[in-house]
């Protein structure tokens, strides 16, 4: 497999380098140089294949010969060890539940696959790979769970003290083993700045094999394509399928575009956002205006400058006479909704279908509804990106109902928090890394 940077098409990198580096040196994003179609004997018979076999077929096709078959199978089986079921709301609306992994959100797919690939590419190295992550909450939990007990890896997570939810903190601080949480007396920006500085510090990078678990690592995108095929296989044959994706950094939606390029017959995509609507605005007007994010109820989508937009543009680069914008809006429609509308949608889905949907999924529900009013007759699939119990106080207040908490979440509250409290000071952080990891 060869990859290029969105900022220098024509310069190729191996999968190993793209995964271990995360970001190209020119600050673009890695993209696969070729996106081959899935073999038709699989594509035309998806229902005959298990989720694992579909994930294998997608990986084999996209990764080409980067990883031998037997190793790839181990990686895929370890990464995709939970299901992605489709639940029917009515004849035209379905929900794809992506929350059956350890951290109860779709990010588990990306984090687990990335952990497996990094561990694989670090085999045979004498030093362990140290993954530094700054988190404002959600990503850290998925990364921690994804790398937990993965051979040859150590994870150091920096999170801002008092600024993540109690549940998120438990997800970061209770695993132990190869996962260490640093509770930073500062903001998320402080955490991020400390991590960035560590990568620029020659003394540290000499002594320790550092890498990042950045959300734009290509290894997080690839496994997210798996479940679009898995969802399609569960729908009535011959449907005009529309995927509706609650979006923040647009990684999830970009993975859907990859699946489509690999031959999945998706009719259209719907980009659903909260008030942070720079992509829906771009689709409407043709101009992309990043701006500071706004806080909302669906806070995992509070992103003012979506990092994967560069990949979306890359996929739709002007071909023939049409502009990038025209290409993109022919395939994706965007909608935005307020928190009040989101709460009303959560109640509507519960009352109409008896289904408890989380605030992110509820934004998706609204967007699908709008799109189907404009284009009747499609079969819509809302990606339910997290389990509603992850947002328990909000969901219970909106529905005026108790929400069932999955056992793996309930167990967390009994576990002891273990974190190293630290000033937001790079010198202190550097000494800690030198003393504990080199
Ligand atoms: C991260 C996240 C999103 C946004 O996904 P992107 O790939 O960044 O667009 C949506 N919902 C939940 C619950 C998330 O954790």
């Amino acid at each position: 497999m060869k990859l290029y940077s969105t900022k220098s098409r024509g310069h190729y990198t191996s999968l190993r380098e793209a995964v271990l580096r995360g970001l190209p040196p020119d600050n673009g994003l890695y993209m696969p140089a070729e996106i081959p179609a899935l073999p038709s004997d699989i594509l035309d018979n998806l229902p005959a294949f298990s989720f694992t076999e579909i994930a294998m077929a997608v990986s084999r096709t996209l990764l080409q010969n980067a990883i031998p078959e037997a190793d790839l199978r181990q990686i895929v089986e370890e990464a995709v060890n939970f299901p992605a079921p489709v639940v029917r709301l009515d004849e035209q609306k379905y929900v794809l539940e992506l929350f059956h992994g350890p951290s109860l959100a779709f990010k588990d797919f990306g984090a687990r696959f990335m952990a497996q690939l990094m561990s694989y590419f670090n085999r045979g190295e004498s030093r362990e790979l140290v993954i530094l992550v700054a988190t404002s909450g959600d990503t850290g939990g998925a990364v921690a769970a994804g790398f937990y007990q993965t051979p040859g890896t150590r994870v150091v997570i920096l999170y801002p003290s008092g600024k993540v939810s109690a549940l998120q903190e438990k997800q970061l601080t209770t695993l132990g083993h190869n996962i260490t949480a640093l509770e930073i007396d500062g903001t998320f920006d402080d955490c991020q700045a400390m991590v960035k500085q560590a990568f620029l510090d020659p003394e540290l990078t000499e002594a320790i094999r550092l890498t990042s678990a950045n959300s734009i690592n290509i290894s997080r995108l690839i496994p997210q394509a798996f479940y679009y095929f898995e969802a399609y296989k569960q729908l009535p044959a011959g449907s005009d399928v529309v995927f509706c994706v609650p979006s923040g950094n647009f990684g999830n939606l970009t993975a859907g575009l990859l699946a489509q390029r690999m031959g999945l017959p998706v009719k259209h995509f719907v980009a659903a956002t909260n008030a942070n609507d720079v992509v829906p605005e771009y689709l409407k007007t043709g101009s992309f205006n990043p701006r500071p994010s706004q806080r909302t109820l669906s806070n995992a989508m509070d992103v003012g400058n979506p990092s994967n937009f560069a990949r979306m543009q890359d996929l739709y680069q002007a071909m023939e006479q049409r502009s990038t914008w025209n290409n993109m809006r022919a395939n994706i429609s965007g909608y935005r909704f307020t928190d009040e509308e989101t709460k009303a949608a959560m109640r509507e889905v519960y009352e109409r279908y008896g289904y408890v949907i989380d605030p992110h999924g509820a934004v998706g529900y609204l967007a699908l509804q709008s799109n189907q009013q404009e284009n009747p007759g499609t079969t819509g699939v809302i990606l339910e990106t997290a389990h509603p119990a992850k947002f328990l106080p909000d969901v219970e207040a909106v529905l005026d109902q108790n929400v069932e908490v999955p056992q793996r979440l309930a167990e967390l509250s009994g576990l002891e928090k273990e974190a190293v409290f630290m000033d937001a000071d790079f010198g202190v952080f550097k000494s800690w890394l030198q003393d504990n990891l080199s």
Side-chain angles (χ1 to χ4, degrees):
M1 180 186 195
K2 287 186 302 184
L3 300 102
Y4 60 78
S5 160
T6 51
K7 287 203 177 146
S8 56
R9 281 163 157 260
H11 283 107
Y12 297 114
T13 303
S14 66
L15 179 64
R16 181 179 197 275
E17 179 162 353
V19 169
L20 292 180
R21 256 184 184 279
L23 264 183
D26 62 8
N27 262 319
L29 298 183
Y30 286 119
M31 282 296 277
E34 284 171 53
I35 308 176
L38 211 62
S40 59
D41 56 327
I42 298 173
L43 196 54
D44 300 340
N45 295 296
L46 287 173
F49 294 91
S50 67
F51 192 12
T52 307
E53 291 314 318
I54 288 175
M56 271 305 288
V58 173
S59 305
R60 204 186 285 127
T61 305
L62 200 57
L63 271 51
Q64 294 164 341
N65 299 318
I67 298 176
E69 174 83 8
D71 294 326
L72 189 61
R73 182 164 291 278
Q74 257 187 0
I75 289 168
V76 165
E77 284 178 356
E78 193 61 44
V80 186
N81 61 353
F82 51 92
V86 168
V87 174
R88 182 182 189 272
L89 296 182
D90 64 27
E91 210 175 312
Q92 283 174 342
K93 291 189 182 63
Y94 293 78
V95 175
L96 170 60
E97 294 185 341
L98 298 175
F99 54 65
H100 294 276
S103 84
L104 304 165
F106 81 89
K107 291 189 177 70
D108 286 325
F109 286 96
R112 293 183 73 77
F113 195 74
M114 172 167 62
Q116 290 306 314
L117 279 191
M118 284 187 172
S119 172
Y120 173 78
F121 285 130
N122 199 50
R123 285 194 329 195
E125 297 282 341
S126 54
R127 296 180 301 171
E128 64 182 357
L129 193 61
V130 176
I131 294 103
L132 297 184
V133 205
T135 185
S136 54
D138 245 17
T139 306
V143 169
F147 279 89
Y148 181 59
Q149 294 189 319
T150 299
T153 68
R154 250 322 264 274
V155 176
V156 179
I157 300 178
L158 289 77
Y159 74 95
S161 180
K163 295 187 180 69
V164 303
S165 77
L167 172 69
Q168 286 171 334
E169 185 169 42
K170 288 280 186 181
Q171 288 187 319
L172 302 175
T173 60
T174 56
L175 287 169
H177 289 274
N178 60 331
I179 314 293
T180 306
L182 304 183
E183 179 177 3
I184 304 300
D185 189 13
T187 62
F188 169 64
D189 290 339
D190 293 329
C191 298
Q192 204 160 29
M194 288 162 79
V195 167
K196 277 206 175 128
Q197 207 174 335
F199 288 117
L200 296 174
D201 189 294
E203 250 175 35
L204 280 181
T205 53
E206 278 278 304
I208 308 172
R209 222 169 122 66
L210 290 180
T211 190
S212 94
N214 214 304
S215 65
I216 58 210
N217 195 300
I218 189 73
S219 62
R220 288 179 61 167
L221 210 59
I222 294 167
Q224 291 177 217
F226 301 164
Y227 48 70
Y228 284 89
F229 291 90
E230 174 68 6
Y232 191 92
K233 128 188 158 183
Q234 296 174 62
L235 298 169
S239 309
D240 278 338
V241 177
V242 170
F243 281 107
C244 178
V245 192
S247 294
N249 271 319
F250 282 79
N252 216 356
L253 195 139
T254 303
L257 302 179
L258 271 186
Q260 189 186 37
R261 285 289 162 98
M262 294 184 74
L264 190 69
V266 182
K267 186 178 167 68
H268 201 70
F269 287 92
V270 173
T273 75
N274 56 33
N276 298 282
D277 66 341
V278 299
V279 171
E281 194 182 279
Y282 168 80
L283 291 166
K284 199 180 300 169
T285 65
S287 53
F288 184 68
N289 297 308
R291 51 172 195 260
S293 65
Q294 255 175 275
R295 236 193 123 65
T296 74
L297 184 66
S298 46
N299 59 48
M301 312 194 316
D302 295 349
V303 178
N305 188 6
S307 50
N308 281 291
F309 186 69
R311 285 195 170 115
M312 294 168 68
Q313 273 188 308
D314 192 80
L315 283 167
Y316 289 107
Q317 268 207 349
M319 308 164 256
E320 296 150 26
Q321 301 92 344
R322 294 208 298 189
S323 68
T324 302
W325 175 55
N326 274 317
N327 285 324
M328 202 188 293
R329 71 196 187 116
N331 196 33
I332 310 173
S333 302
Y335 303 88
R336 63 158 273 172
F337 297 93
T338 65
D339 281 355
E340 284 316 305
E341 291 167 320
T342 304
K343 288 180 196 170
M346 289 164 70
R347 286 189 281 265
E348 180 176 312
V349 171
Y350 186 66
E351 280 157 20
R352 200 176 279 178
Y353 306 109
Y355 189 82
V356 179
I357 201 161
D358 94 293
H360 306 80
V363 174
Y365 173 79
L366 288 165
L368 179 62
Q369 205 170 38
S370 297
N371 188 258
Q372 288 186 326
Q373 272 157 13
E374 294 161 21
N375 307 284
T378 64
T379 299
V381 183
I382 303 152
L383 273 61
E384 174 58 322
T385 49
H387 193 288
K390 276 198 98 165
F391 312 97
L392 204 57
D394 286 334
V395 175
E396 289 189 336
V398 171
L399 298 184
D400 202 14
Q401 283 285 331
N402 288 329
V403 171
E404 201 182 317
V405 177
Q407 198 187 347
R408 59 196 184 286
L409 198 56
E411 283 167 353
L412 273 180
S413 58
L415 300 178
E416 199 72 45
K417 160 182 166 182
E418 243 180 83
V420 178
F421 195 81
M422 191 178 283
D423 285 338
D425 179 283
F426 179 69
V428 176
F429 177 47
K430 179 173 171 177
S431 305
W432 186 89
L433 289 172
Q434 286 170 323
D435 294 347
N436 289 278
L437 298 180
S438 57

Coordinates of all heavy atoms in Angstrom, one line a residue, residues 69 158 193 240 294 297 350 420:
E69 N -1.2 -12.1 5.0 CA -2.5 -12.5 5.3 C -2.7 -13.0 6.7 O -3.6 -12.6 7.4 CB -2.9 -13.6 4.3 CG -4.3 -14.2 4.5 CD -5.5 -13.5 4.0 OE1 -5.3 -12.4 3.2 OE2 -6.6 -13.8 4.3
L158 N -2.6 12.6 28.7 CA -2.7 13.9 29.5 C -4.1 14.4 29.4 O -4.7 14.6 28.3 CB -1.8 14.9 28.9 CG -0.3 14.7 29.1 CD1 0.2 13.6 28.2 CD2 0.5 16.0 28.9
A193 N -0.4 21.3 24.1 CA 0.9 22.0 23.9 C 2.1 21.2 24.5 O 3.1 21.1 23.9 CB 0.8 23.4 24.6
D240 N -32.3 1.9 -1.9 CA -31.5 3.1 -2.2 C -31.0 3.6 -0.8 O -31.7 4.3 -0.1 CB -32.4 4.2 -2.8 CG -32.5 3.9 -4.3 OD1 -31.7 3.2 -4.9 OD2 -33.5 4.5 -4.8
Q294 N -18.4 25.9 19.3 CA -19.4 26.3 20.2 C -19.8 25.1 21.1 O -19.9 24.0 20.5 CB -20.7 26.7 19.5 CG -20.9 28.2 19.4 CD -22.1 28.4 18.5 OE1 -22.0 28.5 17.2 NE2 -23.3 28.5 19.1
L297 N -25.0 20.3 23.3 CA -25.4 19.0 24.0 C -24.7 17.8 23.4 O -24.4 16.9 24.1 CB -26.9 18.9 23.8 CG -27.7 17.7 24.5 CD1 -27.6 17.9 26.0 CD2 -29.1 17.7 24.0
Y350 N -38.0 8.2 21.1 CA -38.4 7.3 22.2 C -39.9 7.1 22.2 O -40.3 5.9 22.3 CB -38.0 8.0 23.6 CG -38.3 7.0 24.7 CD1 -37.5 5.8 24.8 CD2 -39.3 7.3 25.7 CE1 -37.8 4.9 25.9 CE2 -39.5 6.4 26.7 CZ -38.8 5.2 26.8 OH -39.1 4.3 27.8
V420 N -1.4 10.5 37.9 CA -0.2 11.3 38.4 C -0.6 12.8 38.2 O -0.9 13.3 37.1 CB 1.0 11.0 37.6 CG1 2.2 11.9 38.1 CG2 1.4 9.6 37.6

